[in-house]
Amino acid sequence: MCGILLCVTSEVADDKNIQQQVNNGDRDALKRRGPDASSEIEIYFPTAWKAIFSGYTLWLQGNAPDVQPLIDSSGNILLWNGDVFYNQIGGEFIPKGLSDSAFLLQKLKDVETVEEICNILEVINGPWSMVYYKKNLNQIITGRDRFGRHSLLWNCPARDGEILSSLLITSSSSLESAHNSTLFEIPASHLFQISFGNTIQVKKIHSRKPYAVNNKPISEHTFFDWVTHSLENKSSDHIISEYLNICQKEVEGLKVILLASIKSRIECQPMLCKTCVPLHLSGENVQCTHSKVAILFSGGLDSSVLAALTDRVWPKNESIDLLNVAFPLRNKKNPSANEFDVPDRLTGLQALEELRRLNPSRKWNFCEINVQLDELLEMRKSKIAALIHPASTVLDDSIGCAQWFAARGQGILTGCPNREKYVSPARVVLMGAGADEQMAGYARHRQRFANGGWPSLITEVEMEMNRISERNLGRDNRILADHGRAPRLPYLDEMVVEYLARLPIWTKVDLRLPIGLGDKIILRALAYQLGLPRTAIEPKRAIQFGSRIAKTEARKEKGSHVCDRLTKSLELGQ
């Protein structure tokens, strides 16, 4: 995970507005993303343009942090904010001790055309956003992975053939840039080629293929009537057991591929925590015994399955931090009740009990992150609103604020006798994004199924995945990475997505069954099989409701409305 920035202005007439915001604010925001190494270069393109390349590295791969931007012997420049998982690109393995960014720079140097550059990028397994300057072409290639898992913003509306007088590309925005300029997420539907002549011209290249799921006809569903018999006075446990009898192979396949996804994501780091990395880089011989992996943990289905599977592939002597966020719940009927006993806290503690039964010897650090209203207001104004930008709705505000405090990892450990404060030192944080979109976990999926049956549900799932890069992953990345942690999303691993897409829809979800059972039934069956029977039947609860942030400020508003709190925070932050 890194912070990257490119600023291009005319040699003759610099854009003072862009230069000022880069100088004043963006570098600080980027340094929080990449605290381990940084550098900046200024070059002049042959056509009277001045370019500033800035890179800030969070060291996760290689024997030592790579100082960005990376420059090869031909003068090509790479700004890389990504993770190459499974230690290979296109079947070619990364040499031991070499970082993914250095290996990628080498591979890109060996090709000549824009098409060849795109072909290399498209076989990467892992999230990324990047800026690559190919000197002999005097062109920049930029973009994000097809799911848009890593943030990249620019001052371009992204119309094909767009002509600009200056260019700004950045991983994250500061208060200055969010307030003073119009930034847009770089669409993940294409890669982009930027040419420099009398003007800066942006061109779409390499369109991504749409996501499609197996649409095998329902008539071939040999066990289509199993639900009718299963609902006759039978418990949820019995129904899941019957489903497992039928779909055991599919569930086992999901477990195997998720284990590989999680293992690659948690092992892809130098096995040092946030505290010990600076000591190591200063030359000290450090034996780190602190937590290196955390999970955004509501105790719901998605995060609990991640925790149980992480337990299977993480060394037994290593602790795992479970980050559980809550906002004050005003209980008028019982004023003496704990104001932070919100739904996600209660399900989190319930899931913690199940995890402890699965592995009593594991040190599970359940971190109670309790956020008071005054701190919410202050941090929204000083930091969070700028990170959420250009997203701007009430829903963006609720989710963004809840995730920022959760990822900060500052709270109290459950069971700690002295209620001492704890700050998670983990540099890798797992989150469950992507499970609902692929396995029909949202209420709207149930509505589509009720109105149009299986074909309508298939269409909705395909639409969800085809637009996932446009919705919230860039926002989530800016929020979580602000704490110098690498957010990693096992459910959106390319091989996990491919596996789930190959399965017929009814093996993943059966919305003839009740809420908390038929939605994501394949994942519920996996949770049940792993030893999480109570978690397996927990209904979906979004973070803004489970943490109770949506009720904290006692407003009646729709999630799709523009959030005036974000707008005012950007104005007040000036």
Side-chain angles (χ1 to χ4, degrees):
M1 180 59 57
C2 301
I4 60 177
L5 180 144
L6 169 69
C7 178
V8 182
T9 56
S10 168
E11 283 185 60
V12 179
D14 286 351
D15 187 321
K16 299 298 183 183
N17 183 43
I18 285 185
Q19 291 280 16
Q20 183 180 10
Q21 69 190 44
V22 169
N23 290 335
N24 290 348
D26 282 7
R27 288 184 177 88
D28 290 338
L30 296 172
K31 190 171 184 179
R32 293 197 298 271
R33 293 176 62 93
D36 298 326
S38 63
S39 184
E40 182 172 288
I41 62 169
E42 184 177 298
I43 67 168
Y44 292 87
F45 296 155
T47 46
W49 296 96
K50 181 174 71 174
I52 298 172
F53 293 79
S54 298
Y56 300 80
T57 302
L58 178 68
W59 174 40
L60 292 164
Q61 298 198 37
N63 287 336
D66 277 330
V67 177
Q68 294 203 53
L70 287 88
I71 309 172
D72 64 26
S73 58
S74 298
N76 304 310
I77 302 172
L78 176 65
L79 288 171
W80 174 250
N81 171 30
D83 282 309
V84 175
F85 294 129
Y86 303 102
N87 200 40
Q88 56 89 20
I89 297 177
E92 188 176 348
F93 283 90
I94 300 173
K96 187 175 181 181
L98 193 67
S99 70
D100 55 348
S101 50
F103 183 68
L104 177 61
L105 180 69
Q106 179 182 309
K107 286 187 68 67
L108 293 174
K109 179 187 176 185
D110 295 338
V111 300
E112 294 297 327
T113 68
V114 169
E115 182 180 4
E116 289 174 310
I117 293 170
C118 294
N119 289 341
I120 289 174
L121 295 172
E122 288 301 87
V123 296
I124 291 173
N125 191 319
W128 54 268
S129 60
M130 53 77 70
V131 173
Y132 179 62
Y133 174 62
K134 192 71 168 176
K135 186 174 182 179
N136 67 332
L137 300 176
N138 192 33
Q139 291 180 339
I140 281 175
I141 307 300
T142 189
R144 304 192 287 159
D145 71 82
R146 65 167 299 171
F147 302 128
R149 289 165 287 187
H150 280 187
S151 171
L152 201 60
L153 307 172
W154 63 359
N155 64 330
C156 174
R159 292 186 291 266
D160 200 19
E162 186 75 26
I163 296 174
L164 303 172
S165 60
S166 60
L167 176 67
L168 175 66
I169 299 177
T170 180
S171 298
S172 194
S173 57
S174 64
L175 281 169
E176 289 89 342
S177 59
H179 180 75
N180 294 326
S181 67
T182 303
L183 292 174
F184 306 88
E185 291 270 12
I186 293 185
S189 55
H190 297 77
L191 296 177
F192 293 86
Q193 173 184 307
I194 304 173
S195 304
F196 302 91
N198 293 329
T199 59
I200 301 172
Q201 188 165 13
V202 179
K203 179 183 177 182
K204 292 180 181 178
I205 55 174
H206 195 83
S207 177
R208 265 75 182 252
K209 293 180 180 179
Y211 172 90
V213 301
N214 185 325
N215 60 358
K216 185 178 178 183
I218 302 300
S219 60
E220 297 182 32
H221 184 6
T222 55
F223 48 89
F224 188 72
D225 292 329
W226 79 283
V227 168
T228 305
H229 307 296
S230 294
L231 289 177
E232 297 174 358
N233 300 318
K234 292 180 179 175
S235 67
S236 298
D237 287 0
H238 190 94
I239 293 171
I240 291 179
S241 295
E242 284 197 23
Y243 168 84
L244 276 168
N245 289 336
I246 299 165
C247 293
Q248 180 63 52
K249 184 176 75 172
E250 290 81 359
V251 174
E252 185 62 27
L254 178 60
K255 181 177 77 172
V256 169
I257 207 159
L258 268 178
L259 278 169
S261 171
I262 292 169
K263 182 175 170 58
S264 179
R265 280 158 174 77
I266 61 178
E267 290 182 350
C268 188
Q269 58 170 314
M271 295 303 286
L272 295 166
C273 75
K274 291 182 71 173
T275 303
C276 292
V277 161
L279 300 176
H280 171 83
L281 294 178
S282 68
E284 289 191 33
N285 184 16
V286 181
Q287 297 295 322
C288 181
T289 59
H290 312 115
S291 293
K292 303 165 188 69
V293 169
I295 301 171
L296 294 194
F297 191 75
S298 66
L301 176 66
D302 308 342
S303 60
S304 296
V305 168
L306 291 182
L309 291 176
T310 299
D311 177 58
R312 295 195 172 199
V313 294
W314 195 229
K316 294 180 179 179
N317 62 324
E318 294 281 351
S319 55
I320 298 173
D321 287 358
L322 306 175
L323 309 180
N324 183 277
V325 67
F327 296 81
L329 176 63
R330 311 301 179 188
N331 192 331
K332 295 180 181 179
K333 294 182 179 179
N334 185 8
S336 63
N338 187 334
E339 62 180 351
F340 293 108
D341 278 347
V342 302
D344 276 2
R345 178 61 46 80
L346 301 180
T347 54
L349 291 170
Q350 173 184 283
L352 175 65
E353 288 182 17
E354 292 191 314
L355 291 169
R356 282 175 170 168
R357 280 199 295 270
L358 287 177
N359 188 353
S361 62
R362 170 77 67 191
K363 187 180 180 184
W364 300 98
N365 291 327
F366 187 89
C367 184
E368 301 177 18
I369 300 163
N370 301 328
V371 185
Q372 294 289 358
L373 178 59
D374 57 349
E375 188 178 20
L376 169 62
L377 297 176
E378 173 58 31
M379 298 315 297
R380 177 194 283 129
K381 181 178 73 173
S382 63
K383 283 188 178 179
I384 302 172
L387 296 168
I388 291 173
H389 180 77
S392 59
T393 68
V394 169
L395 190 61
D396 291 318
D397 175 59
S398 295
I399 296 176
C401 289
Q403 287 184 339
W404 190 88
F405 282 104
R408 187 174 66 168
Q410 180 177 310
I412 297 168
L413 293 185
T414 292
C416 181
N418 299 322
R419 304 291 287 174
E420 293 178 5
K421 289 184 178 180
Y422 178 79
V423 180
S424 173
R427 300 170 77 242
V428 168
V429 57
L430 302 182
M431 58 184 297
D436 289 311
E437 287 83 356
Q438 297 179 81
M439 294 174 276
Y442 293 121
R444 57 181 173 269
H445 290 121
R446 193 167 286 273
Q447 183 180 356
R448 296 294 185 276
F449 181 76
N451 294 337
W454 296 100
S456 182
L457 179 60
I458 288 173
T459 300
E460 182 71 15
V461 169
E462 289 179 339
M463 184 190 72
E464 292 276 4
M465 287 301 291
N466 282 318
R467 70 175 187 174
I468 194 169
S469 66
E470 304 169 18
R471 295 185 63 224
N472 51 27
L473 296 181
R475 177 204 67 204
D476 295 350
N477 181 261
R478 291 190 296 278
I479 289 291
L480 272 67
D482 189 57
H483 301 289
R485 307 188 201 274
R488 290 176 171 171
L489 320 178
Y491 292 112
L492 285 174
D493 179 279
E494 284 81 356
M495 290 193 289
V496 173
V497 172
E498 183 182 343
Y499 174 77
L500 287 170
R502 288 200 310 265
L503 296 179
I505 190 72
W506 52 80
T507 62
K508 298 176 285 189
V509 52
D510 201 328
L511 298 183
R512 297 171 297 170
L513 291 166
I515 294 172
L517 195 55
D519 47 303
K520 298 188 288 191
I521 191 169
I522 188 172
L523 195 61
R524 295 184 184 281
L526 176 56
Y528 185 85
Q529 190 180 64
L530 290 171
L532 306 170
R534 288 184 293 175
T535 301
I537 57 174
E538 278 295 326
K540 162 73 179 176
R541 189 188 299 112
I543 188 173
Q544 66 270 28
F545 302 119
S547 69
R548 281 300 186 261
I549 188 173
K551 299 291 185 182
T552 298
E553 293 169 283
R555 295 194 178 208
K556 293 183 178 179
E557 52 195 359
K558 291 186 177 179
S560 58
H561 287 174
V562 172
C563 181
D564 64 344
R565 295 183 295 282
L566 292 176
T567 305
K568 291 176 181 177
S569 292
L570 293 177
E571 293 171 354
L572 292 171
Q574 295 305 300

